[in-house]
Amino acid sequence: MPRKHAPAFTPDAASASSVAGQPHNLPVLQAKMKRDPEGYEEELRQLHRHFESSVFLFQQQAALATTSSSAGGGEVAKELGDLALFLAHVAPFYPDDLADLPDQIGGLLDTNARGLPPGLREHLVQALILLVNRKIVDLEDTMELFMELQVIGDRAVKKLAFSHIIHSIRRMNQKHKNDTRNRKLQNIIFKFLQAEEESRAKRAFTILCDLHRRRVWFDERTTNAICEACFHPSSRIMIAAIQFLLGYENAEQQEDESDASSSEDEADKNPQILLSKQDVYKANHKGTVASKKKKQAKLQRVIRSMKRQQRKSVEESGSSYYSPLTYLKDAQGFAEKLFSRLQKCNERFEVRMMMLKVIARTIGLHHLVLLNFYPYLQRYVQPHQRDVTTLLAAAVQACHDMVPPDAVEPLFKQIVNQFVHDRSRPESIAVGLNVVREICMRMPLMMNEDLLQDLVLYKKSHEKAVSIAARSLITLFREICPSLLVKKVRGRPVDPKARPKAFGEVTVASDVPGAELLDEDMSSEEEGSDEESDAFDSDNEIALPSAPPGTEENMEGSSEANKCDANEDTNEEDEASDEDGADEGQDNSDNDSEEVDEELDDDSDMDADTDMSDEDSDDDELKESINGSEDEGSDQDEDTDEEDKSKGSDSKVQKRKLNDYIGELNAADASLRALKRLAGAKKAQVSSDETGKILSDEDFKRIKELKAKKEAKLALAQHGLIKGVDTKSATFKMPSSDQLSRKRVDPLELEAHVRRKMSKEERLAMVKAGREDRGQYVARAAVKQKKTGGLSNKQKQHKKRMPLAATRAKAARSRQEKKQQRKRSGNQFRGRKAWK
């Protein structure tokens, strides 16, 4: 913006300067002007002219090359700084008289910033900041000046200018985002960032990173500008940008620690954990005191594990996850450009490793295809390589299902050949198996059957880290492809026919995730109502005498089941009436043969009906089954009536026996095809109805509750609080490709359970740490002697009075012992020895 020069020095200004008040009167005059602005207009004009004359005098002294540390120059500089601060304080009350004050202060800083004395420079910067805060001048007009002030070499001024820019932009975007002003300010900072001068670019980059961490400028423009800083000619700017991209999440946790703690507190106050009242009641009221304590401890562990899982799922969900690399406009171009710079640069090893990690992170997040990256990694895959776990973590991060397996296969084979063999150290074998597991989790097609069988044999290793890594590999392939495992190692997988997806195959979602839980919930409610009605019917049947066969058949739902019931009734009656003669037995056998013929005819009719299932509707099937059951029921009524008449058992009242239920089960097996037809038709009808169904907010809430209940049930089953639940599906949950791409591979996880050899200093430190809480050694007997209190249980047991029978037995035993002792003492020789 154009700067206005200070007016020329005139006699009037000199007289005004001599008439003006002394510096020690300025604070008093400032307070009076704020109370009564109109009454002190003349004094303000005099002081303004005095300020202009001081500026002119200072410029003349600077032109004559006089040192500012001399007596006259020092006095002029101090007086000029005090007047600048005074006029900045009263500027809001005299907008017309002091309209050119920002231009005068800004012009003085713009032209002579490096030549000003430090005290005067700091006072002028404070005055200009005060004018910006009072909204007398816009931040956009002074932004370039504040950026220049940060590179003049004055630490106090640099700190003032930096904090002023940050707080002004934060205050501007506190209530709402002002995109127009933000875009102007961003253009100024981006221009400084793209400059080749390192000092200016560094200050601009620092401001952008600070505003981004504070979530003030949290947009794509700022993110892409920070990422473009990776290609700055200065290596320091490039390293700073790469470190920001890699350590963004850690820096964000440190900056927003209070926000994270508050969110965790809210999550703990309102957890989505649904435990049944029955489980809580059992843990608090059933069993002994010790068992209740154990159940309560298990219940608390379940709650903690569920909270941890929910917090982890929220962190891994796409809504809350953020990384600056996710907002790259041209991710493929960014990765290729940074990789070409990596191949050409001569930076130290740590810098190249950071560049590798950024490239791998970008490839994994955006599912890029950079085929030259994997042969480049292959050169460094050696067990003796420095920071090899970091390198392997980058290799794992760069693998995803869109990369051709042929491109990664040489790298994969080298990892196996270099790390996993019999002559390798246990640490290297464990790291190699963990890397193989992580790569196969992202690209299952890399593994073949022979290699997997060789790697699985390491589960018998005596080293804990190696055996755990091998077992984790077995667990993974039990989930994704159990057929590659040997039958002995395969176990009982959840899905025995599971296969990995072919290269390029994409799974398209055909329904809402979790919608099947709603169907199961509805079906369980219907089954519950049916079971209640069945229980009511069964109670009636058990309480009442058995009805005639015809009524029983009407209550049953299958014609075949009715026939089997009738046959078994006749057989039981034959066994009960052996004394009636052979004639009745022959009649019964004839009846049985006739019924068998009828069953065969009915089976043939049913088979014919199943062949015509494509042409008939479900309603026709139901009608036919009902009509058939009525006809057969009437036939069986006639047969049973004849049998009852022949036996004369009208007055007998019998209850249903176990054979009746066995017959019903056999009949259900016989009519399995008809039941399958009905179930398939109903399922197709339900699925056709569900495809056009629109889920409401209540349905989604219900799905969330059902998921929480299912997780709670599995967690309780895993901790042994409930039984009868299949926990195999909860042992390992295969993450999706998006979750794997968002997840950072920690190098420490690749060397988990590896026991490192401690140095002597570390061992001594561990020993001393164990001695801190331990008291001075005292003998156990001394502790017992110093005991102040009652007797111990052992002492009380000794003093306990025995019952009468035990007392008499003890007395008899002592008498016998004395008698034997006297007997032995009489046979002993008490005289002189017979030998010498």
mmCIF file of all heavy atoms in Angstrom, residues 462-505:
data_model
loop_
_atom_site.group_PDB
_atom_site.id
_atom_site.type_symbol
_atom_site.label_atom_id
_atom_site.label_comp_id
_atom_site.label_asym_id
_atom_site.label_seq_id
_atom_site.Cartn_x
_atom_site.Cartn_y
_atom_site.Cartn_z
ATOM 1 N N HIS A 462 10.692 -72.662 20.432
ATOM 2 C CA HIS A 462 10.778 -72.413 21.876
ATOM 3 C C HIS A 462 10.825 -70.916 22.185
ATOM 4 O O HIS A 462 10.634 -70.540 23.346
ATOM 5 C CB HIS A 462 12.014 -73.104 22.454
ATOM 6 C CG HIS A 462 11.955 -74.601 22.347
ATOM 7 N ND1 HIS A 462 11.083 -75.369 23.088
ATOM 8 C CD2 HIS A 462 12.634 -75.475 21.554
ATOM 9 C CE1 HIS A 462 11.237 -76.650 22.787
ATOM 10 N NE2 HIS A 462 12.180 -76.751 21.853
ATOM 11 N N GLU A 463 11.113 -70.095 21.185
ATOM 12 C CA GLU A 463 11.107 -68.658 21.382
ATOM 13 C C GLU A 463 9.672 -68.143 21.358
ATOM 14 O O GLU A 463 8.913 -68.443 20.424
ATOM 15 C CB GLU A 463 11.932 -67.955 20.302
ATOM 16 C CG GLU A 463 13.405 -68.265 20.365
ATOM 17 C CD GLU A 463 14.066 -67.631 21.576
ATOM 18 O OE1 GLU A 463 13.534 -66.626 22.080
ATOM 19 O OE2 GLU A 463 15.110 -68.151 22.019
ATOM 20 N N LYS A 464 9.328 -67.386 22.365
ATOM 21 C CA LYS A 464 7.939 -66.919 22.490
ATOM 22 C C LYS A 464 7.540 -66.009 21.337
ATOM 23 O O LYS A 464 6.437 -66.137 20.788
ATOM 24 C CB LYS A 464 7.777 -66.182 23.827
ATOM 25 C CG LYS A 464 6.366 -65.693 24.083
ATOM 26 C CD LYS A 464 6.287 -64.992 25.430
ATOM 27 C CE LYS A 464 4.865 -64.478 25.675
ATOM 28 N NZ LYS A 464 4.765 -63.763 26.958
ATOM 29 N N ALA A 465 8.425 -65.094 20.936
ATOM 30 C CA ALA A 465 8.089 -64.157 19.872
ATOM 31 C C ALA A 465 7.843 -64.884 18.556
ATOM 32 O O ALA A 465 6.911 -64.547 17.802
ATOM 33 C CB ALA A 465 9.208 -63.128 19.712
ATOM 34 N N VAL A 466 8.649 -65.917 18.267
ATOM 35 C CA VAL A 466 8.502 -66.655 17.005
ATOM 36 C C VAL A 466 7.206 -67.461 17.004
ATOM 37 O O VAL A 466 6.450 -67.462 16.017
ATOM 38 C CB VAL A 466 9.724 -67.575 16.786
ATOM 39 C CG1 VAL A 466 9.547 -68.392 15.518
ATOM 40 C CG2 VAL A 466 10.989 -66.742 16.706
ATOM 41 N N SER A 467 6.921 -68.155 18.089
ATOM 42 C CA SER A 467 5.702 -68.974 18.133
ATOM 43 C C SER A 467 4.449 -68.107 18.071
ATOM 44 O O SER A 467 3.472 -68.459 17.395
ATOM 45 C CB SER A 467 5.697 -69.817 19.409
ATOM 46 O OG SER A 467 5.703 -68.986 20.562
ATOM 47 N N ILE A 468 4.470 -66.957 18.728
ATOM 48 C CA ILE A 468 3.301 -66.070 18.685
ATOM 49 C C ILE A 468 3.093 -65.535 17.275
ATOM 50 O O ILE A 468 1.966 -65.461 16.778
ATOM 51 C CB ILE A 468 3.482 -64.919 19.697
ATOM 52 C CG1 ILE A 468 3.336 -65.440 21.119
ATOM 53 C CG2 ILE A 468 2.467 -63.810 19.452
ATOM 54 C CD1 ILE A 468 3.579 -64.405 22.186
ATOM 55 N N ALA A 469 4.172 -65.166 16.588
ATOM 56 C CA ALA A 469 4.051 -64.664 15.216
ATOM 57 C C ALA A 469 3.504 -65.742 14.284
ATOM 58 O O ALA A 469 2.656 -65.464 13.428
ATOM 59 C CB ALA A 469 5.408 -64.169 14.735
ATOM 60 N N ALA A 470 3.971 -66.975 14.440
ATOM 61 C CA ALA A 470 3.467 -68.065 13.594
ATOM 62 C C ALA A 470 1.997 -68.351 13.873
ATOM 63 O O ALA A 470 1.205 -68.582 12.944
ATOM 64 C CB ALA A 470 4.310 -69.317 13.817
ATOM 65 N N ARG A 471 1.604 -68.324 15.132
ATOM 66 C CA ARG A 471 0.197 -68.575 15.452
ATOM 67 C C ARG A 471 -0.702 -67.451 14.951
ATOM 68 O O ARG A 471 -1.851 -67.689 14.551
ATOM 69 C CB ARG A 471 0.039 -68.752 16.962
ATOM 70 C CG ARG A 471 0.670 -70.019 17.496
ATOM 71 C CD ARG A 471 0.558 -70.142 19.001
ATOM 72 N NE ARG A 471 1.351 -71.245 19.507
ATOM 73 C CZ ARG A 471 0.937 -72.522 19.522
ATOM 74 N NH1 ARG A 471 -0.264 -72.820 19.067
ATOM 75 N NH2 ARG A 471 1.729 -73.464 19.994
ATOM 76 N N SER A 472 -0.206 -66.241 14.968
ATOM 77 C CA SER A 472 -1.010 -65.146 14.395
ATOM 78 C C SER A 472 -1.200 -65.317 12.900
ATOM 79 O O SER A 472 -2.258 -64.985 12.355
ATOM 80 C CB SER A 472 -0.331 -63.805 14.696
ATOM 81 O OG SER A 472 0.913 -63.714 14.037
ATOM 82 N N LEU A 473 -0.186 -65.848 12.224
ATOM 83 C CA LEU A 473 -0.336 -66.141 10.790
ATOM 84 C C LEU A 473 -1.374 -67.234 10.563
ATOM 85 O O LEU A 473 -2.182 -67.162 9.613
ATOM 86 C CB LEU A 473 1.018 -66.560 10.230
ATOM 87 C CG LEU A 473 1.156 -66.661 8.709
ATOM 88 C CD1 LEU A 473 0.942 -65.303 8.068
ATOM 89 C CD2 LEU A 473 2.510 -67.211 8.335
ATOM 90 N N ILE A 474 -1.398 -68.233 11.425
ATOM 91 C CA ILE A 474 -2.419 -69.295 11.316
ATOM 92 C C ILE A 474 -3.811 -68.712 11.531
ATOM 93 O O ILE A 474 -4.758 -69.028 10.803
ATOM 94 C CB ILE A 474 -2.118 -70.407 12.343
ATOM 95 C CG1 ILE A 474 -0.810 -71.115 11.998
ATOM 96 C CG2 ILE A 474 -3.261 -71.410 12.404
ATOM 97 C CD1 ILE A 474 -0.352 -72.095 13.062
ATOM 98 N N THR A 475 -3.947 -67.849 12.527
ATOM 99 C CA THR A 475 -5.247 -67.231 12.803
ATOM 100 C C THR A 475 -5.734 -66.418 11.621
ATOM 101 O O THR A 475 -6.933 -66.427 11.295
ATOM 102 C CB THR A 475 -5.131 -66.332 14.050
ATOM 103 O OG1 THR A 475 -4.621 -67.105 15.135
ATOM 104 C CG2 THR A 475 -6.483 -65.763 14.419
ATOM 105 N N LEU A 476 -4.828 -65.714 10.965
ATOM 106 C CA LEU A 476 -5.217 -64.923 9.800
ATOM 107 C C LEU A 476 -5.748 -65.794 8.681
ATOM 108 O O LEU A 476 -6.820 -65.517 8.110
ATOM 109 C CB LEU A 476 -4.021 -64.103 9.316
ATOM 110 C CG LEU A 476 -4.209 -63.334 8.006
ATOM 111 C CD1 LEU A 476 -5.264 -62.254 8.170
ATOM 112 C CD2 LEU A 476 -2.897 -62.742 7.533
ATOM 113 N N PHE A 477 -5.042 -66.870 8.361
ATOM 114 C CA PHE A 477 -5.475 -67.697 7.230
ATOM 115 C C PHE A 477 -6.639 -68.608 7.596
ATOM 116 O O PHE A 477 -7.302 -69.125 6.702
ATOM 117 C CB PHE A 477 -4.292 -68.507 6.704
ATOM 118 C CG PHE A 477 -3.438 -67.719 5.760
ATOM 119 C CD1 PHE A 477 -2.348 -67.016 6.212
ATOM 120 C CD2 PHE A 477 -3.762 -67.645 4.419
ATOM 121 C CE1 PHE A 477 -1.573 -66.272 5.350
ATOM 122 C CE2 PHE A 477 -2.996 -66.908 3.545
ATOM 123 C CZ PHE A 477 -1.899 -66.210 4.004
ATOM 124 N N ARG A 478 -6.907 -68.838 8.849
ATOM 125 C CA ARG A 478 -8.163 -69.494 9.204
ATOM 126 C C ARG A 478 -9.365 -68.632 8.829
ATOM 127 O O ARG A 478 -10.450 -69.143 8.592
ATOM 128 C CB ARG A 478 -8.191 -69.777 10.707
ATOM 129 C CG ARG A 478 -7.398 -70.980 11.137
ATOM 130 C CD ARG A 478 -7.418 -71.131 12.646
ATOM 131 N NE ARG A 478 -6.664 -72.293 13.080
ATOM 132 C CZ ARG A 478 -6.398 -72.573 14.348
ATOM 133 N NH1 ARG A 478 -6.831 -71.753 15.296
ATOM 134 N NH2 ARG A 478 -5.697 -73.643 14.668
ATOM 135 N N GLU A 479 -9.135 -67.329 8.784
ATOM 136 C CA GLU A 479 -10.220 -66.406 8.463
ATOM 137 C C GLU A 479 -10.343 -66.174 6.965
ATOM 138 O O GLU A 479 -11.443 -66.175 6.430
ATOM 139 C CB GLU A 479 -9.976 -65.071 9.183
ATOM 140 C CG GLU A 479 -11.048 -64.019 8.962
ATOM 141 C CD GLU A 479 -12.319 -64.325 9.702
ATOM 142 O OE1 GLU A 479 -12.272 -65.130 10.654
ATOM 143 O OE2 GLU A 479 -13.364 -63.778 9.322
ATOM 144 N N ILE A 480 -9.217 -65.941 6.270
ATOM 145 C CA ILE A 480 -9.304 -65.516 4.863
ATOM 146 C C ILE A 480 -9.232 -66.684 3.884
ATOM 147 O O ILE A 480 -9.867 -66.642 2.835
ATOM 148 C CB ILE A 480 -8.208 -64.479 4.545
ATOM 149 C CG1 ILE A 480 -6.823 -65.051 4.798
ATOM 150 C CG2 ILE A 480 -8.409 -63.217 5.350
ATOM 151 C CD1 ILE A 480 -5.706 -64.100 4.418
ATOM 152 N N CYS A 481 -8.479 -67.743 4.204
ATOM 153 C CA CYS A 481 -8.384 -68.884 3.275
ATOM 154 C C CYS A 481 -7.980 -70.137 4.052
ATOM 155 O O CYS A 481 -6.800 -70.516 4.091
ATOM 156 C CB CYS A 481 -7.371 -68.577 2.171
ATOM 157 S SG CYS A 481 -7.376 -69.783 0.831
ATOM 158 N N PRO A 482 -8.928 -70.814 4.685
ATOM 159 C CA PRO A 482 -8.582 -71.999 5.491
ATOM 160 C C PRO A 482 -8.060 -73.168 4.660
ATOM 161 O O PRO A 482 -7.371 -74.035 5.186
ATOM 162 C CB PRO A 482 -9.910 -72.359 6.175
ATOM 163 C CG PRO A 482 -10.776 -71.153 6.042
ATOM 164 C CD PRO A 482 -10.353 -70.482 4.784
ATOM 165 N N SER A 483 -8.366 -73.211 3.363
ATOM 166 C CA SER A 483 -7.959 -74.356 2.545
ATOM 167 C C SER A 483 -6.446 -74.423 2.365
ATOM 168 O O SER A 483 -5.913 -75.482 2.033
ATOM 169 C CB SER A 483 -8.641 -74.287 1.183
ATOM 170 O OG SER A 483 -8.285 -73.094 0.498
ATOM 171 N N LEU A 484 -5.727 -73.315 2.545
ATOM 172 C CA LEU A 484 -4.272 -73.344 2.419
ATOM 173 C C LEU A 484 -3.609 -74.019 3.605
ATOM 174 O O LEU A 484 -2.444 -74.410 3.511
ATOM 175 C CB LEU A 484 -3.725 -71.916 2.271
ATOM 176 C CG LEU A 484 -4.053 -71.181 0.977
ATOM 177 C CD1 LEU A 484 -3.456 -69.793 0.996
ATOM 178 C CD2 LEU A 484 -3.541 -71.959 -0.229
ATOM 179 N N LEU A 485 -4.299 -74.138 4.714
ATOM 180 C CA LEU A 485 -3.734 -74.748 5.912
ATOM 181 C C LEU A 485 -3.930 -76.253 5.898
ATOM 182 O O LEU A 485 -4.870 -76.775 5.297
ATOM 183 C CB LEU A 485 -4.382 -74.155 7.164
ATOM 184 C CG LEU A 485 -4.110 -72.684 7.452
ATOM 185 C CD1 LEU A 485 -5.036 -72.184 8.540
ATOM 186 C CD2 LEU A 485 -2.662 -72.478 7.863
ATOM 187 N N VAL A 486 -3.035 -76.946 6.587
ATOM 188 C CA VAL A 486 -3.193 -78.380 6.758
ATOM 189 C C VAL A 486 -4.395 -78.644 7.663
ATOM 190 O O VAL A 486 -4.750 -77.814 8.506
ATOM 191 C CB VAL A 486 -1.907 -78.978 7.371
ATOM 192 C CG1 VAL A 486 -1.985 -80.491 7.452
ATOM 193 C CG2 VAL A 486 -0.702 -78.573 6.562
ATOM 194 N N LYS A 487 -5.030 -79.769 7.476
ATOM 195 C CA LYS A 487 -6.259 -80.059 8.220
ATOM 196 C C LYS A 487 -6.023 -80.043 9.725
ATOM 197 O O LYS A 487 -6.876 -79.607 10.497
ATOM 198 C CB LYS A 487 -6.800 -81.418 7.781
ATOM 199 C CG LYS A 487 -8.166 -81.741 8.382
ATOM 200 C CD LYS A 487 -8.693 -83.047 7.844
ATOM 201 C CE LYS A 487 -10.063 -83.362 8.428
ATOM 202 N NZ LYS A 487 -10.580 -84.654 7.942
ATOM 203 N N LYS A 488 -4.840 -80.479 10.162
ATOM 204 C CA LYS A 488 -4.541 -80.511 11.589
ATOM 205 C C LYS A 488 -4.438 -79.099 12.170
ATOM 206 O O LYS A 488 -4.790 -78.862 13.321
ATOM 207 C CB LYS A 488 -3.239 -81.276 11.813
ATOM 208 C CG LYS A 488 -2.849 -81.423 13.263
ATOM 209 C CD LYS A 488 -1.640 -82.317 13.413
ATOM 210 C CE LYS A 488 -0.407 -81.672 12.820
ATOM 211 N NZ LYS A 488 0.824 -82.459 13.058
ATOM 212 N N VAL A 489 -3.960 -78.169 11.364
ATOM 213 C CA VAL A 489 -3.772 -76.796 11.826
ATOM 214 C C VAL A 489 -5.009 -75.950 11.565
ATOM 215 O O VAL A 489 -5.214 -74.920 12.193
ATOM 216 C CB VAL A 489 -2.534 -76.172 11.128
ATOM 217 C CG1 VAL A 489 -2.250 -74.782 11.627
ATOM 218 C CG2 VAL A 489 -1.330 -77.063 11.312
ATOM 219 N N ARG A 490 -5.838 -76.410 10.650
ATOM 220 C CA ARG A 490 -6.977 -75.594 10.213
ATOM 221 C C ARG A 490 -7.976 -75.354 11.323
ATOM 222 O O ARG A 490 -8.556 -74.273 11.435
ATOM 223 C CB ARG A 490 -7.653 -76.291 9.038
ATOM 224 C CG ARG A 490 -8.660 -75.449 8.284
ATOM 225 C CD ARG A 490 -9.263 -76.283 7.159
ATOM 226 N NE ARG A 490 -8.228 -76.839 6.316
ATOM 227 C CZ ARG A 490 -8.407 -77.847 5.481
ATOM 228 N NH1 ARG A 490 -9.590 -78.440 5.403
ATOM 229 N NH2 ARG A 490 -7.419 -78.286 4.731
ATOM 230 N N GLY A 491 -8.195 -76.334 12.169
ATOM 231 C CA GLY A 491 -9.172 -76.183 13.232
ATOM 232 C C GLY A 491 -10.589 -76.155 12.690
ATOM 233 O O GLY A 491 -10.922 -76.850 11.729
ATOM 234 N N ARG A 492 -11.431 -75.343 13.317
ATOM 235 C CA ARG A 492 -12.817 -75.169 12.880
ATOM 236 C C ARG A 492 -13.023 -73.713 12.481
ATOM 237 O O ARG A 492 -13.403 -72.884 13.307
ATOM 238 C CB ARG A 492 -13.795 -75.548 13.995
ATOM 239 C CG ARG A 492 -13.816 -77.025 14.291
ATOM 240 C CD ARG A 492 -14.890 -77.342 15.313
ATOM 241 N NE ARG A 492 -14.946 -78.759 15.632
ATOM 242 C CZ ARG A 492 -15.785 -79.292 16.513
ATOM 243 N NH1 ARG A 492 -16.617 -78.508 17.170
ATOM 244 N NH2 ARG A 492 -15.784 -80.596 16.749
ATOM 245 N N PRO A 493 -12.741 -73.363 11.258
ATOM 246 C CA PRO A 493 -12.893 -71.955 10.847
ATOM 247 C C PRO A 493 -14.350 -71.552 10.789
ATOM 248 O O PRO A 493 -15.264 -72.397 10.707
ATOM 249 C CB PRO A 493 -12.242 -71.915 9.461
ATOM 250 C CG PRO A 493 -12.344 -73.318 8.965
ATOM 251 C CD PRO A 493 -12.244 -74.208 10.166
ATOM 252 N N VAL A 494 -14.578 -70.254 10.824
ATOM 253 C CA VAL A 494 -15.944 -69.734 10.758
ATOM 254 C C VAL A 494 -16.556 -70.020 9.396
ATOM 255 O O VAL A 494 -17.702 -70.443 9.293
ATOM 256 C CB VAL A 494 -15.935 -68.220 11.053
ATOM 257 C CG1 VAL A 494 -17.350 -67.660 10.971
ATOM 258 C CG2 VAL A 494 -15.344 -67.957 12.428
ATOM 259 N N ASP A 495 -15.783 -69.788 8.337
ATOM 260 C CA ASP A 495 -16.250 -70.029 6.970
ATOM 261 C C ASP A 495 -15.234 -70.948 6.291
ATOM 262 O O ASP A 495 -14.197 -70.483 5.806
ATOM 263 C CB ASP A 495 -16.384 -68.713 6.214
ATOM 264 C CG ASP A 495 -17.028 -68.907 4.846
ATOM 265 O OD1 ASP A 495 -17.467 -70.044 4.573
ATOM 266 O OD2 ASP A 495 -17.089 -67.942 4.063
ATOM 267 N N PRO A 496 -15.475 -72.262 6.234
ATOM 268 C CA PRO A 496 -14.472 -73.169 5.655
ATOM 269 C C PRO A 496 -14.224 -72.931 4.172
ATOM 270 O O PRO A 496 -13.158 -73.274 3.665
ATOM 271 C CB PRO A 496 -15.081 -74.563 5.902
ATOM 272 C CG PRO A 496 -16.099 -74.370 6.970
ATOM 273 C CD PRO A 496 -16.629 -72.984 6.797
ATOM 274 N N LYS A 497 -15.189 -72.356 3.462
ATOM 275 C CA LYS A 497 -15.051 -72.144 2.026
ATOM 276 C C LYS A 497 -14.601 -70.733 1.674
ATOM 277 O O LYS A 497 -14.780 -70.285 0.538
ATOM 278 C CB LYS A 497 -16.388 -72.440 1.334
ATOM 279 C CG LYS A 497 -16.837 -73.884 1.483
ATOM 280 C CD LYS A 497 -18.139 -74.127 0.746
ATOM 281 C CE LYS A 497 -18.596 -75.583 0.890
ATOM 282 N NZ LYS A 497 -19.873 -75.825 0.166
ATOM 283 N N ALA A 498 -14.059 -70.004 2.639
ATOM 284 C CA ALA A 498 -13.636 -68.628 2.384
ATOM 285 C C ALA A 498 -12.460 -68.617 1.407
ATOM 286 O O ALA A 498 -11.563 -69.452 1.478
ATOM 287 C CB ALA A 498 -13.238 -67.943 3.691
ATOM 288 N N ARG A 499 -12.478 -67.648 0.492
ATOM 289 C CA ARG A 499 -11.431 -67.480 -0.499
ATOM 290 C C ARG A 499 -11.080 -66.005 -0.610
ATOM 291 O O ARG A 499 -11.967 -65.159 -0.488
ATOM 292 C CB ARG A 499 -11.886 -67.990 -1.872
ATOM 293 C CG ARG A 499 -12.121 -69.478 -1.970
ATOM 294 C CD ARG A 499 -10.788 -70.246 -1.917
ATOM 295 N NE ARG A 499 -10.993 -71.675 -2.102
ATOM 296 C CZ ARG A 499 -11.324 -72.513 -1.147
ATOM 297 N NH1 ARG A 499 -11.515 -72.063 0.091
ATOM 298 N NH2 ARG A 499 -11.470 -73.806 -1.400
ATOM 299 N N PRO A 500 -9.819 -65.683 -0.826
ATOM 300 C CA PRO A 500 -9.476 -64.266 -1.037
ATOM 301 C C PRO A 500 -9.997 -63.774 -2.373
ATOM 302 O O PRO A 500 -10.156 -64.541 -3.332
ATOM 303 C CB PRO A 500 -7.943 -64.270 -0.991
ATOM 304 C CG PRO A 500 -7.547 -65.658 -1.361
ATOM 305 C CD PRO A 500 -8.626 -66.554 -0.838
ATOM 306 N N LYS A 501 -10.256 -62.490 -2.446
ATOM 307 C CA LYS A 501 -10.748 -61.906 -3.683
ATOM 308 C C LYS A 501 -9.663 -61.904 -4.747
ATOM 309 O O LYS A 501 -8.486 -61.717 -4.447
ATOM 310 C CB LYS A 501 -11.238 -60.479 -3.440
ATOM 311 C CG LYS A 501 -12.456 -60.387 -2.552
ATOM 312 C CD LYS A 501 -13.009 -58.986 -2.520
ATOM 313 C CE LYS A 501 -12.048 -58.028 -1.861
ATOM 314 N NZ LYS A 501 -12.627 -56.683 -1.721
ATOM 315 N N ALA A 502 -10.082 -62.088 -5.984
ATOM 316 C CA ALA A 502 -9.134 -62.037 -7.086
ATOM 317 C C ALA A 502 -8.656 -60.610 -7.297
ATOM 318 O O ALA A 502 -9.249 -59.650 -6.804
ATOM 319 C CB ALA A 502 -9.779 -62.587 -8.360
ATOM 320 N N PHE A 503 -7.558 -60.462 -8.034
ATOM 321 C CA PHE A 503 -6.997 -59.130 -8.259
ATOM 322 C C PHE A 503 -7.980 -58.292 -9.075
ATOM 323 O O PHE A 503 -8.443 -58.692 -10.141
ATOM 324 C CB PHE A 503 -5.668 -59.240 -9.000
ATOM 325 C CG PHE A 503 -5.092 -57.910 -9.387
ATOM 326 C CD1 PHE A 503 -4.667 -57.024 -8.412
ATOM 327 C CD2 PHE A 503 -5.003 -57.535 -10.716
ATOM 328 C CE1 PHE A 503 -4.139 -55.796 -8.757
ATOM 329 C CE2 PHE A 503 -4.481 -56.312 -11.074
ATOM 330 C CZ PHE A 503 -4.051 -55.439 -10.091
ATOM 331 N N GLY A 504 -8.320 -57.129 -8.547
ATOM 332 C CA GLY A 504 -9.268 -56.245 -9.219
ATOM 333 C C GLY A 504 -10.714 -56.481 -8.859
ATOM 334 O O GLY A 504 -11.577 -55.706 -9.260
ATOM 335 N N GLU A 505 -10.983 -57.525 -8.082
ATOM 336 C CA GLU A 505 -12.368 -57.807 -7.690
ATOM 337 C C GLU A 505 -12.804 -56.837 -6.599
ATOM 338 O O GLU A 505 -12.061 -56.575 -5.657
ATOM 339 C CB GLU A 505 -12.473 -59.239 -7.195
ATOM 340 C CG GLU A 505 -13.892 -59.649 -6.817
ATOM 341 C CD GLU A 505 -13.957 -61.070 -6.297
ATOM 342 O OE1 GLU A 505 -12.912 -61.754 -6.339
ATOM 343 O OE2 GLU A 505 -15.026 -61.493 -5.842
#
